[in-house]
PDB file of all heavy atoms in Angstrom:
ATOM      1  N   PRO A 428      21.399  62.727  -0.659  1.00  0.00           N
ATOM      2  CA  PRO A 428      21.649  63.745   0.390  1.00  0.00           C
ATOM      3  C   PRO A 428      20.553  63.762   1.440  1.00  0.00           C
ATOM      4  O   PRO A 428      19.996  64.765   1.737  1.00  0.00           O
ATOM      5  CB  PRO A 428      21.602  65.053  -0.396  1.00  0.00           C
ATOM      6  CG  PRO A 428      20.665  64.787  -1.566  1.00  0.00           C
ATOM      7  CD  PRO A 428      20.861  63.298  -1.856  1.00  0.00           C
ATOM      8  N   LYS A 429      20.371  62.605   2.098  1.00  0.00           N
ATOM      9  CA  LYS A 429      19.336  62.526   3.160  1.00  0.00           C
ATOM     10  C   LYS A 429      19.503  61.140   3.825  1.00  0.00           C
ATOM     11  O   LYS A 429      20.187  60.270   3.329  1.00  0.00           O
ATOM     12  CB  LYS A 429      17.897  62.709   2.616  1.00  0.00           C
ATOM     13  CG  LYS A 429      17.514  61.651   1.618  1.00  0.00           C
ATOM     14  CD  LYS A 429      16.066  61.788   1.112  1.00  0.00           C
ATOM     15  CE  LYS A 429      15.730  60.738   0.153  1.00  0.00           C
ATOM     16  NZ  LYS A 429      14.355  60.777  -0.376  1.00  0.00           N
ATOM     17  N   ASP A 430      18.800  61.051   4.923  1.00  0.00           N
ATOM     18  CA  ASP A 430      18.791  59.660   5.565  1.00  0.00           C
ATOM     19  C   ASP A 430      18.025  58.731   4.601  1.00  0.00           C
ATOM     20  O   ASP A 430      17.030  59.116   3.931  1.00  0.00           O
ATOM     21  CB  ASP A 430      18.032  59.642   6.869  1.00  0.00           C
ATOM     22  CG  ASP A 430      18.739  60.482   7.976  1.00  0.00           C
ATOM     23  OD1 ASP A 430      19.980  60.669   7.798  1.00  0.00           O
ATOM     24  OD2 ASP A 430      18.114  60.792   8.933  1.00  0.00           O
ATOM     25  N   HIS A 431      18.569  57.510   4.468  1.00  0.00           N
ATOM     26  CA  HIS A 431      17.942  56.645   3.495  1.00  0.00           C
ATOM     27  C   HIS A 431      18.128  55.182   3.938  1.00  0.00           C
ATOM     28  O   HIS A 431      18.824  54.836   4.864  1.00  0.00           O
ATOM     29  CB  HIS A 431      18.540  56.868   2.104  1.00  0.00           C
ATOM     30  CG  HIS A 431      19.959  56.789   1.944  1.00  0.00           C
ATOM     31  ND1 HIS A 431      20.822  57.880   2.258  1.00  0.00           N
ATOM     32  CD2 HIS A 431      20.808  55.777   1.637  1.00  0.00           C
ATOM     33  CE1 HIS A 431      22.012  57.500   2.100  1.00  0.00           C
ATOM     34  NE2 HIS A 431      22.082  56.247   1.752  1.00  0.00           N
ATOM     35  N   THR A 432      17.433  54.337   3.208  1.00  0.00           N
ATOM     36  CA  THR A 432      17.471  52.908   3.586  1.00  0.00           C
ATOM     37  C   THR A 432      17.995  52.041   2.512  1.00  0.00           C
ATOM     38  O   THR A 432      17.703  52.300   1.316  1.00  0.00           O
ATOM     39  CB  THR A 432      15.977  52.417   3.898  1.00  0.00           C
ATOM     40  OG1 THR A 432      15.431  53.184   4.924  1.00  0.00           O
ATOM     41  CG2 THR A 432      15.937  50.891   4.194  1.00  0.00           C
ATOM     42  N   LEU A 433      18.861  51.192   2.847  1.00  0.00           N
ATOM     43  CA  LEU A 433      19.374  50.163   1.903  1.00  0.00           C
ATOM     44  C   LEU A 433      18.553  48.838   2.060  1.00  0.00           C
ATOM     45  O   LEU A 433      18.224  48.528   3.173  1.00  0.00           O
ATOM     46  CB  LEU A 433      20.924  49.928   2.115  1.00  0.00           C
ATOM     47  CG  LEU A 433      21.831  51.114   1.988  1.00  0.00           C
ATOM     48  CD1 LEU A 433      23.267  50.696   2.183  1.00  0.00           C
ATOM     49  CD2 LEU A 433      21.603  51.804   0.582  1.00  0.00           C
ATOM     50  N   ILE A 434      18.310  48.240   0.999  1.00  0.00           N
ATOM     51  CA  ILE A 434      17.439  47.067   1.029  1.00  0.00           C
ATOM     52  C   ILE A 434      18.278  45.794   0.639  1.00  0.00           C
ATOM     53  O   ILE A 434      19.112  45.795  -0.335  1.00  0.00           O
ATOM     54  CB  ILE A 434      16.305  47.210  -0.027  1.00  0.00           C
ATOM     55  CG1 ILE A 434      15.423  48.450   0.335  1.00  0.00           C
ATOM     56  CG2 ILE A 434      15.413  45.908   0.020  1.00  0.00           C
ATOM     57  CD1 ILE A 434      14.465  48.819  -0.792  1.00  0.00           C
ATOM     58  N   ALA A 435      18.211  44.791   1.480  1.00  0.00           N
ATOM     59  CA  ALA A 435      18.963  43.511   1.231  1.00  0.00           C
ATOM     60  C   ALA A 435      18.272  42.740   0.058  1.00  0.00           C
ATOM     61  O   ALA A 435      17.057  42.673  -0.009  1.00  0.00           O
ATOM     62  CB  ALA A 435      18.923  42.704   2.457  1.00  0.00           C
ATOM     63  N   VAL A 436      19.133  42.222  -0.750  1.00  0.00           N
ATOM     64  CA  VAL A 436      18.602  41.312  -1.862  1.00  0.00           C
ATOM     65  C   VAL A 436      19.039  39.918  -1.454  1.00  0.00           C
ATOM     66  O   VAL A 436      20.176  39.610  -1.118  1.00  0.00           O
ATOM     67  CB  VAL A 436      19.253  41.647  -3.164  1.00  0.00           C
ATOM     68  CG1 VAL A 436      18.816  40.703  -4.269  1.00  0.00           C
ATOM     69  CG2 VAL A 436      18.868  43.102  -3.632  1.00  0.00           C
ATOM     70  N   TRP A 437      17.939  39.035  -1.463  1.00  0.00           N
ATOM     71  CA  TRP A 437      18.209  37.621  -1.046  1.00  0.00           C
ATOM     72  C   TRP A 437      17.977  36.672  -2.209  1.00  0.00           C
ATOM     73  O   TRP A 437      17.192  36.878  -3.038  1.00  0.00           O
ATOM     74  CB  TRP A 437      17.225  37.276   0.067  1.00  0.00           C
ATOM     75  CG  TRP A 437      17.287  38.154   1.259  1.00  0.00           C
ATOM     76  CD1 TRP A 437      16.558  39.214   1.566  1.00  0.00           C
ATOM     77  CD2 TRP A 437      18.253  38.017   2.307  1.00  0.00           C
ATOM     78  NE1 TRP A 437      16.996  39.784   2.806  1.00  0.00           N
ATOM     79  CE2 TRP A 437      18.005  39.084   3.281  1.00  0.00           C
ATOM     80  CE3 TRP A 437      19.365  37.151   2.615  1.00  0.00           C
ATOM     81  CZ2 TRP A 437      18.772  39.186   4.437  1.00  0.00           C
ATOM     82  CZ3 TRP A 437      20.039  37.274   3.788  1.00  0.00           C
ATOM     83  CH2 TRP A 437      19.783  38.316   4.679  1.00  0.00           C
ATOM     84  N   VAL A 438      18.786  35.562  -2.165  1.00  0.00           N
ATOM     85  CA  VAL A 438      18.648  34.480  -3.116  1.00  0.00           C
ATOM     86  C   VAL A 438      18.198  33.256  -2.384  1.00  0.00           C
ATOM     87  O   VAL A 438      18.912  32.918  -1.400  1.00  0.00           O
ATOM     88  CB  VAL A 438      19.975  34.225  -3.898  1.00  0.00           C
ATOM     89  CG1 VAL A 438      19.795  33.048  -4.886  1.00  0.00           C
ATOM     90  CG2 VAL A 438      20.376  35.483  -4.655  1.00  0.00           C
ATOM     91  N   PRO A 439      17.152  32.566  -2.742  1.00  0.00           N
ATOM     92  CA  PRO A 439      16.688  31.422  -2.063  1.00  0.00           C
ATOM     93  C   PRO A 439      17.821  30.308  -2.118  1.00  0.00           C
ATOM     94  O   PRO A 439      18.459  30.146  -3.168  1.00  0.00           O
ATOM     95  CB  PRO A 439      15.436  30.924  -2.832  1.00  0.00           C
ATOM     96  CG  PRO A 439      14.977  32.138  -3.580  1.00  0.00           C
ATOM     97  CD  PRO A 439      16.236  32.892  -3.903  1.00  0.00           C
ATOM     98  N   GLU A 440      17.939  29.630  -1.010  1.00  0.00           N
ATOM     99  CA  GLU A 440      18.894  28.470  -1.052  1.00  0.00           C
ATOM    100  C   GLU A 440      18.317  27.349  -1.874  1.00  0.00           C
ATOM    101  O   GLU A 440      17.125  27.004  -1.897  1.00  0.00           O
ATOM    102  CB  GLU A 440      19.075  27.959   0.437  1.00  0.00           C
ATOM    103  CG  GLU A 440      19.823  28.818   1.339  1.00  0.00           C
ATOM    104  CD  GLU A 440      21.336  28.948   1.047  1.00  0.00           C
ATOM    105  OE1 GLU A 440      21.770  28.217   0.068  1.00  0.00           O
ATOM    106  OE2 GLU A 440      22.044  29.653   1.696  1.00  0.00           O
ATOM    107  N   ASP A 441      19.218  26.771  -2.752  1.00  0.00           N
ATOM    108  CA  ASP A 441      18.724  25.735  -3.680  1.00  0.00           C
ATOM    109  C   ASP A 441      18.764  24.374  -2.972  1.00  0.00           C
ATOM    110  O   ASP A 441      18.229  23.358  -3.532  1.00  0.00           O
ATOM    111  CB  ASP A 441      19.645  25.669  -4.875  1.00  0.00           C
ATOM    112  CG  ASP A 441      19.372  26.889  -5.708  1.00  0.00           C
ATOM    113  OD1 ASP A 441      18.270  27.411  -5.808  1.00  0.00           O
ATOM    114  OD2 ASP A 441      20.325  27.291  -6.411  1.00  0.00           O
ATOM    115  N   SER A 442      19.362  24.238  -1.819  1.00  0.00           N
ATOM    116  CA  SER A 442      19.526  22.945  -1.219  1.00  0.00           C
ATOM    117  C   SER A 442      18.934  22.919   0.193  1.00  0.00           C
ATOM    118  O   SER A 442      19.555  22.484   1.183  1.00  0.00           O
ATOM    119  CB  SER A 442      21.033  22.531  -1.129  1.00  0.00           C
ATOM    120  OG  SER A 442      21.510  22.390  -2.463  1.00  0.00           O
TER     121      SER A 442
END
Side-chain angles (χ1 to χ4, degrees):
K429 61 178 181 179
D430 292 342
H431 52 278
T432 300
L433 298 182
I434 303 168
V436 176
W437 301 97
V438 176
E440 290 287 359
D441 291 328
S442 298

